[in-house]
Amino acid sequence: MFIYIVLIAVGLVMLLAPGAVWTVKESWKSNDGTEPSDLYLLSTRLGGGIFLLVGVACIVVSRL
């Protein structure tokens, strides 16, 4: 059950604050380090949505 809550929390952060995820994970790799690309923001949000859906689905399935 704990892992499902972690999946939901990570998914929410990725979905709602992809810029913060970029700052923590990727900003040090950039030469100018100013801001993430639109593609990075989109893919992070999509990944966050998938994490969120998987976490919620696992909780629902485990309750059955």
Side-chain angles (χ1 to χ4, degrees):
M1 184 72 152
F2 175 73
I3 192 72
Y4 307 148
I5 295 171
V6 171
L7 279 173
I8 291 171
V10 169
L12 282 173
V13 169
M14 290 173 67
L15 191 62
L16 299 176
V21 174
W22 179 83
T23 301
V24 171
K25 285 183 55 186
E26 307 290 336
S27 64
W28 65 273
K29 297 177 189 175
S30 175
N31 287 336
D32 57 359
T34 55
E35 63 182 35
S37 68
D38 292 337
L39 180 61
Y40 181 87
L41 294 175
L42 176 66
S43 65
T44 303
R45 284 190 173 121
L46 287 174
I50 292 170
F51 272 45
L52 182 63
L53 289 175
V54 168
V56 170
C58 288
I59 288 176
V60 169
V61 169
S62 70
R63 295 285 182 173
L64 295 178

